[in-house]
């Protein structure tokens, strides 16, 4: 199974950034849940960015059709605020 973020990285981030007590343990099911959430978040961000980019291309006059749509970090930034509110 391919993970957007490796599960050991998720566990490490949770351990180092989320909990004050060193006695706190993270279960495998918690890491799996965060992994699924991250995958859903990234997929939704890409889909919204792509939809937004395609609408921009359609609105531009005299714009030749491109063979492929290329997303950049700016495209992701444009949808991030609303995406965070929706999630």
């Amino acid at each position: 199974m391919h993970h957007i973020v490796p599960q050991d990285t998720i566990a490490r981030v949770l351990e180092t950034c989320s909990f004050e007590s060193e006695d706190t343990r993270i279960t495998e099911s918690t890491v799996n849940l965060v992994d699924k959430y991250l995958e859903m978040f990234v997929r939704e961000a890409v889909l919204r960015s792509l939809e937004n980019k395609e609408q921009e291309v359609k609105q531009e006059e005299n714009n030749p059709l491109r063979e492929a749509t290329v997303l950049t970090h700016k495209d992701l930034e444009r949808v991030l605020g609303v995406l965070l509110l929706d999630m």
Side-chain angles (χ1 to χ4, degrees):
M1 179 179 195
H2 178 68
H3 302 282
I4 290 178
V5 178
Q7 290 193 334
D8 60 333
T9 302
I10 293 171
R12 196 171 334 113
V13 168
L14 290 174
E15 288 172 358
T16 59
C17 300
S18 299
F19 303 111
E20 293 179 12
S21 173
E22 291 183 19
D23 295 334
T24 303
R25 299 290 175 243
I26 300 159
T27 64
E28 185 177 341
S29 63
T30 300
V31 173
N32 288 334
L33 182 64
V34 173
D35 180 43
K36 288 182 184 193
Y37 180 81
L38 285 172
E39 181 180 349
M40 179 181 66
F41 185 85
V42 170
R43 286 180 187 270
E44 186 66 21
V46 170
L47 289 173
R48 288 184 187 201
S49 296
L50 184 59
E51 182 178 287
N52 198 32
K53 183 85 165 205
E54 288 173 347
Q55 288 177 358
E56 288 176 7
V57 169
K58 285 180 184 178
Q59 291 176 356
E60 293 177 6
E61 292 181 8
N62 301 323
N63 187 6
L65 292 176
R66 297 182 191 176
E67 290 183 20
T69 301
V70 177
L71 296 177
T72 67
H73 68 283
K74 292 184 183 214
D75 297 310
L76 293 169
E77 288 173 355
R78 286 186 191 108
V79 299
L80 187 59
V82 175
L83 178 62
L84 289 171
L85 289 172
D86 288 347
M87 300 302 272

